[in-house]
Amino acid sequence: MGFSDLLQEVSFGRFQWMHVTLISLPGLLLASQNLLNNFVSGVPTHHCSLPANYSLPDYQVTFAFIPLDPSGNRLDRCRRYVEPQWHLLVTNGSANVSHLKTEECLDGWTFDHSEFLATTISEWDLVCSLRPLKQMIQTIYMGGVLTGAIIFGGLSDRFGRRSVLIWSYLQLAILGCSAALSPTYSVYCIFRFLCGMAVSGIIINGVSLKVEWIPTKERTLVGTLTSFFFTFGQLILAGLAYWLRDWRKLQVVVCVPHFLFFAYSWWFAESARWLVLNRRSDKALKNLHRVARINGKPINQLTLEVLHSHMKKEIDSCQSTLTAYDLVKTRGMRRISICLMAVWFATSFAYYGLVMDLQKFGVSIYVMQIIFGAVDIPSKLLALAALTYLGRRYSQATCLFMSALVIFANIFIPPDMQVLRTVLACLGKGFTSSSFTVVYLYTGELYPTVIRQTGMGFVSTMARTGSMAAPAVLILDEVFPALPSIVYGGAAVLAGFFACFLPETLNVELPDTINDTIRQKIDVQKNTTTISVK
């Protein structure tokens, strides 16, 4: 009898639903953190400001000072005439203007405030030559998420999931609100980096704390349902951004609720698995009795001696301190880690390549955010069905292959068929979202308790690397327009093949030690061989 049997003793009931719901609730605003740059750094329509000695109430007069861009449909965003060209107003701009001298925007820019009242772009003039600084904010934020995965993953295996999760809530609440007061671009980037670290701590510790309190049979259902919090969070972000339209107000609104999450997080129960394996069995016993009492199924016969006798094997195998090296030390763990790294990288790479530039679709950015958020609902239901009937491995591989297929298909759609291209982009986003749902649950089931958080942090660093690299790949369209899609799709195909080499964990108990993981992998291979022979 191991810990999974003890969980069955205390049953799955009121405590698990409350615990899982309260841990998942911050997910409503974690989507806002990951996608915040779309709105906080939205690019308003703009053109060069006119010289200070000109006051022009009539917009049409602007054509005497600002040339049209190469498309001929709008004012140039980065150039103006050296001298006013009044004759263009008489000829309606039909004269040859290629010989007219232009200059950069020496007096700054004039921004249209119909879509955004204020953004970091309009406040710090991050346009034209400074345009790359917009994506730099997101890259720095994802760098913080990557750093947090490395740091908080190791800390939580040493100090516990609950402690690091509580700290992460407080860090995001304080530093997120402080970011809204940033006087300069550099200060804002620093705060966003630290916010990214906190977000990583919340995600990886929240996932493990949920998984480690859920019995085997209920993991698939609960894991998938809780992922809907992130989905609804995308819809909430669209509503908040449309309502506020000011980057400082939006920054505060999506961070203040984390003070509430910090306040109630003290109610969370530390993982009993982790407590037992870290020589704190008395605390684990109290938590088990507490859970059983809340569920209305007391287990008075469970004592410290009984607990130790049931988990003697796991306790004896955890004499030494484990590090990230143990994730690749043995052949079985190395195979799991390499495959998961590929899956995490490709999923995040394709996902953020699609969602981090909503303005490119030519539709209202708020509408696109709602569409991209809504498409997650059927994709999560699809993931739930696949996880239940196909298992983890085939679900993971299928999601990646399908996302690659949709991305490749978009290459052959003409640019003027914008509606169809948008539909395919939504489908691609849906499959990558399903892949995220599967990989979060899958990773928690593959790594053993003694090193689960270190493992989550280790492989999720590849996801953050993918999210940092995704915006940079868009630059390749200057070389060849279809090249970004080829790269995104190719990464998904490659990761799909790696997913096929992972062991299946459907209806398999969570491993507590590295030996458990290796033993389960051998058992799965034996079962597969037996079925093949039959």
Side-chain angles (χ1 to χ4, degrees):
M1 183 177 180
F3 186 79
S4 296
D5 301 293
L6 292 178
L7 274 185
Q8 294 295 340
E9 286 281 323
V10 302
S11 78
F12 180 82
R14 186 184 301 113
F15 169 81
Q16 276 86 358
W17 282 118
M18 292 172 59
H19 199 244
V20 166
T21 301
L22 290 176
I23 292 176
S24 302
L25 199 58
L28 293 173
L29 294 176
L30 290 184
S32 298
Q33 294 294 329
N34 288 346
L35 305 176
L36 192 62
N37 204 51
N38 277 333
F39 300 96
V40 165
S41 299
V43 182
T45 301
H46 57 275
H47 59 76
C48 293
S49 295
L50 306 186
N53 56 329
Y54 289 96
S55 178
L56 302 172
D58 187 354
Y59 173 76
Q60 293 296 326
V61 180
T62 308
F63 288 98
F65 294 83
I66 311 294
L68 296 176
D69 68 1
S71 70
N73 297 322
R74 63 184 182 186
L75 296 175
D76 194 291
R77 296 185 172 191
C78 301
R79 309 289 297 181
R80 71 180 187 185
Y81 293 123
V82 175
E83 297 292 338
Q85 306 297 319
W86 300 110
H87 66 280
L88 295 179
L89 302 180
V90 179
T91 59
N92 295 321
S94 59
N96 183 11
V97 297
S98 59
H99 65 284
L100 299 177
K101 293 183 179 179
T102 60
E103 61 186 3
E104 296 180 351
C105 302
L106 303 179
D107 297 291
W109 288 264
T110 298
F111 293 92
D112 176 61
H113 299 290
S114 60
E115 190 172 26
F116 307 101
L117 295 179
T119 69
T120 59
I121 304 300
S122 60
E123 180 148 344
W124 295 314
D125 291 341
L126 305 181
V127 293
C128 299
S129 62
L130 298 181
R131 186 180 177 184
L133 294 183
K134 173 196 171 179
Q135 296 299 342
M136 184 61 67
I137 296 175
Q138 184 68 13
T139 300
I140 289 173
Y141 167 77
M142 286 301 178
V145 178
L146 185 153
T147 304
I150 298 172
I151 294 176
F152 289 139
L155 289 178
S156 58
D157 274 333
R158 177 173 296 184
F159 300 108
R161 288 79 162 108
R162 177 178 174 270
S163 300
V164 178
L165 182 61
I166 291 173
W167 169 260
S168 298
Y169 286 142
L170 183 62
Q171 179 174 326
L172 183 56
I174 294 176
L175 298 180
C177 292
S178 299
L181 304 176
S182 302
T184 64
Y185 171 83
S186 300
V187 172
Y188 180 68
C189 287
I190 292 172
F191 279 125
R192 286 298 288 162
F193 178 87
L194 297 174
C195 286
M197 289 183 62
V199 167
S200 194
I202 292 172
I203 291 175
I204 63 176
N205 286 287
V207 169
S208 289
L209 203 55
K210 285 184 291 186
V211 167
E212 292 174 5
W213 273 113
I214 300 174
T216 303
K217 292 182 179 179
E218 288 80 11
R219 283 204 308 264
T220 300
L221 176 63
V222 174
T224 305
L225 290 180
T226 55
S227 68
F228 278 98
F229 283 86
F230 190 90
T231 297
F232 294 134
Q234 297 178 61
L235 303 178
I236 290 174
L237 173 62
L240 290 175
Y242 181 79
W243 171 46
L244 297 170
R245 303 201 182 204
D246 183 288
W247 77 271
R248 293 186 187 272
K249 293 178 181 178
L250 182 60
Q251 181 75 46
V252 169
V253 167
V254 299
C255 293
V256 163
H258 286 86
F259 284 110
L260 173 63
F261 304 146
F262 166 76
Y264 73 59
S265 62
W266 294 90
W267 179 85
F268 295 161
E270 179 59 272
S271 167
R273 292 175 182 270
W274 179 86
L275 289 169
V276 170
L277 297 177
N278 283 271
R279 305 297 187 272
R280 297 175 61 184
S281 300
D282 53 340
K283 181 65 175 176
L285 185 63
K286 289 181 181 178
N287 283 353
L288 284 168
H289 279 294
R290 174 193 174 197
V291 172
R293 186 173 62 254
I294 294 175
N295 287 342
K297 192 177 180 181
I299 47 174
N300 298 324
Q301 71 276 15
L302 180 60
T303 63
L304 205 58
E305 291 74 19
V306 174
L307 180 60
H308 282 166
S309 66
H310 288 316
M311 300 194 67
K312 185 177 186 303
K313 172 177 65 68
E314 290 87 348
I315 294 173
D316 292 342
S317 64
C318 296
Q319 298 294 332
S320 59
T321 301
L322 300 178
T323 65
Y325 174 66
D326 292 281
L327 296 172
V328 295
K329 186 177 181 180
T330 62
R331 181 180 178 182
M333 291 299 295
R334 182 163 57 247
R335 181 175 179 176
I336 289 173
S337 296
I338 292 174
C339 291
L340 284 176
M341 287 169 64
V343 171
W344 277 86
F345 176 87
T347 299
S348 183
F349 185 58
Y351 182 90
Y352 286 101
L354 290 169
V355 304
M356 284 314 302
D357 192 12
L358 298 183
Q359 289 182 288
K360 68 183 177 184
F361 292 102
V363 182
S364 168
I365 188 173
Y366 307 104
V367 173
M368 282 305 304
Q369 181 61 62
I370 292 175
I371 294 174
F372 266 29
V375 77
D376 272 13
I377 297 176
S379 71
K380 297 290 176 67
L381 294 175
L382 178 65
L384 174 59
L387 285 168
T388 304
Y389 297 105
L390 294 180
R392 279 56 163 156
R393 177 173 53 190
Y394 293 122
S395 297
Q396 189 73 75
T398 300
C399 288
L400 288 166
F401 285 139
M402 290 302 298
S403 63
L405 180 64
V406 172
I407 292 172
F408 286 145
N410 223 347
I411 296 175
F412 302 100
I413 306 300
D416 57 335
M417 299 180 67
Q418 195 64 48
V419 174
L420 182 56
R421 292 178 64 85
T422 302
V423 169
L424 288 177
C426 290
L427 286 175
K429 197 264 187 181
F431 283 117
T432 55
S433 179
S434 296
S435 182
F436 257 130
T437 301
V438 176
V439 76
Y440 269 112
L441 178 62
Y442 204 4
T443 303
E445 293 179 339
L446 285 169
Y447 281 128
T449 303
V450 292
I451 201 170
R452 181 167 293 122
Q453 288 307 91
T454 300
M456 288 286 290
F458 180 73
V459 296
S460 64
T461 57
M462 294 304 297
R464 309 316 158 198
T465 303
S467 61
M468 293 170 64
V473 172
L474 294 174
I475 302 175
L476 296 177
D477 65 356
E478 297 181 3
V479 179
F480 181 59
L483 197 53
S485 295
I486 294 174
V487 175
Y488 292 136
V493 169
L494 186 62
F497 282 113
F498 273 98
C500 294
F501 292 96
L502 288 169
E504 182 55 67
T505 59
L506 178 63
N507 294 327
V508 175
E509 294 181 358
L510 283 181
D512 287 315
T513 68
I514 290 179
N515 287 335
D516 287 344
T517 300
I518 296 173
R519 188 181 307 111
Q520 287 179 0
K521 180 175 179 291
I522 293 174
D523 291 341
V524 169
Q525 289 175 339
K526 286 182 178 179
N527 292 336
T528 303
T529 302
T530 302
I531 293 171
S532 299
V533 171
K534 290 181 179 179

